C-alpha cells in the first residue's frame, strides 16, 4: 500500500497529470493508494480556503449594482454552503485515493502538535500578534514523530 502524507499531495489538483498517475496506480489493482482521513480533510480545506471570501465579494458586488440601478436586478447568488463545497472536494479526492480512517488518538495528537507548532507540523506564515491562526500550520500525518505516543 502506498500512503501519501500531506506534503506529498499538498495542493494536488484532481485534473493534474500527478492525479492521473495516482489514479492509474490505484486502478492497476497492483497497488493500494491511500491518504489518511486527516489528509483528505486538509486537501478539501485548502480548496475551501477562499470560498467564503469570494462568495462575500460577489454578494457585495451585487449589492453595489443593486444600489446603482433604478430597478432590482434579476441576478442572485445561492447561499454560502461550505459543507456542500467541502463534500464536493472530498468526493473528488476519494476518486483518486482510498481513505484510511484516522484514530481518535492520532487526531488529538495531531491537533496538539499543530497548536504548539511541534514537528511534524510546520509554520507556514508568521502572524506576530495573537500567535498562529487556524490554517497557518500544516500537520503531516505519516511523518515519523507524528504518531501518537
Amino acid at each position: 500500500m502506498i500512503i501519501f502524507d500531506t506534503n506529498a499531495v499538498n495542493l494536488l489538483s484532481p485534473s493534474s497529470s500527478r492525479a492521473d498517475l495516482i489514479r492509474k496506480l490505484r486502478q492497476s489493482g497492483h497497488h493500494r493508494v491511500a491518504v489518511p482521513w486527516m489528509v483528505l480533510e486538509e486537501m478539501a480545506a485548502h480548496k475551501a480556503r477562499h470560498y467564503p471570501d469570494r462568495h462575500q465579494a460577489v454578494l457585495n458586488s451585487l449589492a453595489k449594482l443593486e444600489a446603482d440601478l433604478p430597478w432590482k436586478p434579476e441576478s442572485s447568488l445561492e447561499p454560502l454552503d461550505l459543507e456542500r463545497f467541502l463534500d464536493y472536494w472530498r468526493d473528488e479526492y476519494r476518486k483518486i485515493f482510498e481513505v484510511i480512517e484516522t484514530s481518535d488518538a492520532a487526531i488529538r495528537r495531531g491537533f496538539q502538535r499543530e497548536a504548539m507548532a511541534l514537528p511534524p507540523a510546520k509554520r507556514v506564515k508568521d502572524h506576530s500578534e495573537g500567535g498562529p491562526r487556524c490554517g497557518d500550520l500544516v500537520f503531516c500525518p505519516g511523518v515519523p514523530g507524528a504518531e501518537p505516543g
Side-chain angles (χ1 to χ4, degrees):
M1 176 181 282
I2 302 169
I3 302 173
F4 289 93
D5 70 3
T6 301
N7 289 333
V9 293
N10 189 30
L11 303 178
L12 177 72
S13 169
S15 61
S16 70
S17 58
R18 280 182 38 202
D20 289 342
L21 178 63
I22 295 167
R23 268 190 216 90
K24 293 292 183 195
L25 282 171
R26 186 175 179 191
Q27 291 167 356
S28 74
H30 298 291
H31 301 282
R32 290 178 64 195
V33 182
V35 293
W37 172 85
M38 287 183 71
V39 173
L40 175 74
E41 289 302 311
E42 191 163 2
M43 289 189 301
H46 285 163
K47 290 292 189 179
R49 179 180 220 160
H50 300 291
Y51 170 54
D53 291 339
R54 290 180 179 159
H55 187 274
Q56 188 59 50
V58 172
L59 287 176
N60 293 345
S61 294
L62 285 172
K64 287 178 186 176
L65 177 63
E66 188 172 326
D68 289 343
L69 290 175
W71 60 85
K72 182 155 177 62
E74 294 184 25
S75 296
S76 65
L77 181 63
E78 66 183 52
L80 177 80
D81 190 347
L82 188 56
E83 198 57 38
R84 179 180 170 202
F85 192 87
L86 289 167
D87 284 343
Y88 171 84
W89 287 108
R90 288 176 187 125
D91 290 344
E92 288 299 303
Y93 286 118
R94 281 188 184 106
K95 292 175 187 174
I96 302 169
F97 302 103
E98 178 180 337
V99 179
I100 301 169
E101 288 303 315
T102 306
S103 72
D104 289 345
I107 291 170
R108 280 193 301 277
R109 188 71 176 147
F111 284 135
Q112 289 169 341
R113 289 181 172 283
E114 282 212 26
M116 295 182 285
L118 297 174
K122 65 179 180 180
R123 190 171 304 281
V124 176
K125 295 179 184 173
D126 182 17
H127 298 283
S128 298
E129 292 198 43
R133 296 186 315 211
C134 182
D136 289 344
L137 300 174
V138 179
F139 175 63
C140 311
V143 175
E147 296 78 24

